[in-house]
Amino acid sequence: MTTYSGPARLILVGGTQVSGMASLSTNQRGGINGWSGTFRPDQISAEIRNASDGLYLELPYDQIGAVAVTGIRKLLATQILISLTGSGPAPF
């Protein structure tokens, strides 16, 4: 299992880039390769609350992976945690 924890940008369908922190890992169970994790945006908006599919997660050094939102959880009054599932090769 490979992991990444650090700065990232979530790229929304319209091209808006949202900075934040990501915590990601690969899943290698039963011969199925994939990756998933969470993203905590620095700032929240209606656009990010409604995000679902067709998104990309960009890590430092221009490494990008396609992601879909699997859940959004409120952490504090001003913070949310977005659960993501990646498709294709992991960018870390």
Side-chain angles (χ1 to χ4, degrees):
M1 178 165 72
T2 305
T3 61
Y4 171 81
S5 184
R9 279 190 292 204
L10 187 63
I11 303 170
L12 306 179
V13 173
T16 302
Q17 296 184 7
V18 180
S19 296
M21 296 296 286
S23 180
L24 309 169
S25 64
T26 56
N27 312 321
Q28 297 176 339
R29 288 178 252 149
I32 299 174
N33 291 329
W35 57 283
S36 61
T38 58
F39 177 77
R40 185 177 46 84
D42 292 340
Q43 297 181 343
I44 56 174
S45 66
E47 191 176 16
I48 196 160
R49 286 183 189 273
N50 297 323
S52 59
D53 294 332
L55 310 176
Y56 292 91
L57 192 64
E58 181 179 11
L59 304 182
Y61 310 109
D62 297 325
Q63 298 189 46
I64 298 176
V67 293
V69 173
T70 57
I72 296 178
R73 195 173 58 156
K74 190 173 186 177
L75 293 178
L76 300 169
T78 59
Q79 290 184 347
I80 59 174
L81 188 67
I82 302 171
S83 297
L84 302 171
T85 298
S87 61
F92 53 94

